[in-house]
Amino acid sequence: MTVVRRLTTLTAIATTAAALALAAPATASGAPAAPATPAAADRPGVARTAAPNDLLGAYQAAIDALRGFGMDPFLYPTAAAFCSDDATLGLVPAVAGAVPGPWPKTAVNIPGLDLTAVKAGQTMFTFVPYGIAPDTSTVSGMRVAWMNLSNGRSGLTSMGPLSDIVRAMVPAEVPQEIRPLAERAIQDFFFAALPVGGVRAVPVDTGSGTVLAAVFGTVENAGRSCFFLPTIGLTSVR
């Protein structure tokens, strides 16, 4: 199946994804729980607890976090059902976003050092769920199907853990003995605003133009395989 047909199929179930992500009515015996906003996190490596009646709040917090990193949020949220014991239908909400390179943008210019993790002509796609336990050894399962509407490029790419991006952000010229310290500092910076478990990202050589993409797939949550319905977005790459 071509990427065009994949994207067409994914678009057809877009409204289902949006409905699942935002639907969780309260009951008389208890309200649906949703993951806490990024500000509630106290340290890396600790899963966030659920907060009642806050799926919409978690969604907005995730959007704000993505925008804070210079990313374009996708058009609507997504969710995985039967993924958690802390919410109605076990719903775990998530958002996705994209950031065109070069990224991160910095005014620091050090001759001989490339401080960008996402190069010009690349797009980094990111997936951010709320309410997933810290990752173990299983970090595969999320994918991005993308198409550059301007140059015709397309592909289906697997997404990896945030640690892959963290390593890429430390220039190769940094001495090996201090690389772990640099990586930890960058990781702590990300985890101050993003949840710990299930975050996925990947830079893709999309080239310049308008890029349409769909992010979907599975994330492990404390032994459960959680399937997240597709969410679709557009981003402009220079």
Side-chain angles (χ1 to χ4, degrees):
M1 181 184 293
T2 66
V3 173
V4 177
R5 291 178 61 190
R6 286 193 188 99
L7 291 176
T8 301
T9 301
L10 297 179
T11 304
I13 60 175
T15 54
T16 304
L20 277 176
L22 295 176
T27 64
S29 59
T37 60
D42 52 5
R43 64 186 185 274
V46 178
R48 285 163 172 75
T49 57
N53 292 327
D54 202 29
L55 280 179
L56 187 58
Y59 166 65
Q60 187 59 52
I63 291 295
D64 292 343
L66 289 180
R67 286 178 174 152
F69 286 119
M71 301 178 189
D72 297 326
F74 277 17
L75 299 177
Y76 52 83
T78 181
F82 312 111
C83 184
S84 170
D85 293 328
D86 298 323
T88 302
L89 297 179
L91 286 175
V92 169
V95 296
V99 56
W103 182 90
K105 295 177 173 61
T106 175
V108 178
N109 184 16
I110 303 176
L113 290 184
D114 184 357
L115 301 179
T116 59
V118 184
K119 313 304 180 187
Q122 290 186 325
T123 306
M124 183 174 74
F125 298 101
T126 307
F127 171 76
V128 181
Y130 272 77
I132 297 293
D135 288 322
T136 55
S137 58
T138 304
V139 293
S140 60
M142 290 303 301
R143 292 175 173 78
V144 54
W146 60 273
M147 168 175 282
N148 189 320
L149 304 178
S150 302
N151 62 22
R153 293 185 191 176
S154 62
L156 180 63
T157 307
S158 296
M159 305 179 77
L162 189 60
S163 57
D164 290 349
I165 302 300
V166 169
R167 283 191 291 269
M169 291 180 69
V170 180
E173 295 82 0
V174 172
Q176 191 64 34
E177 56 270 21
I178 66 172
R179 289 189 67 86
L181 292 176
E183 291 178 8
R184 180 56 183 268
I186 296 172
Q187 179 173 287
D188 288 351
F189 170 75
F190 275 106
F191 285 161
L194 294 176
V196 175
V199 178
R200 302 287 181 262
V202 64
V204 177
D205 293 322
T206 58
S208 300
T210 300
V211 178
L212 171 68
V215 168
F216 60 97
T218 59
V219 171
E220 295 296 316
N221 183 29
R224 299 184 186 184
S225 182
C226 306
F227 177 75
F228 286 86
L229 294 163
T231 176
I232 295 173
L234 280 170
T235 191
S236 178
V237 184
R238 296 182 179 178

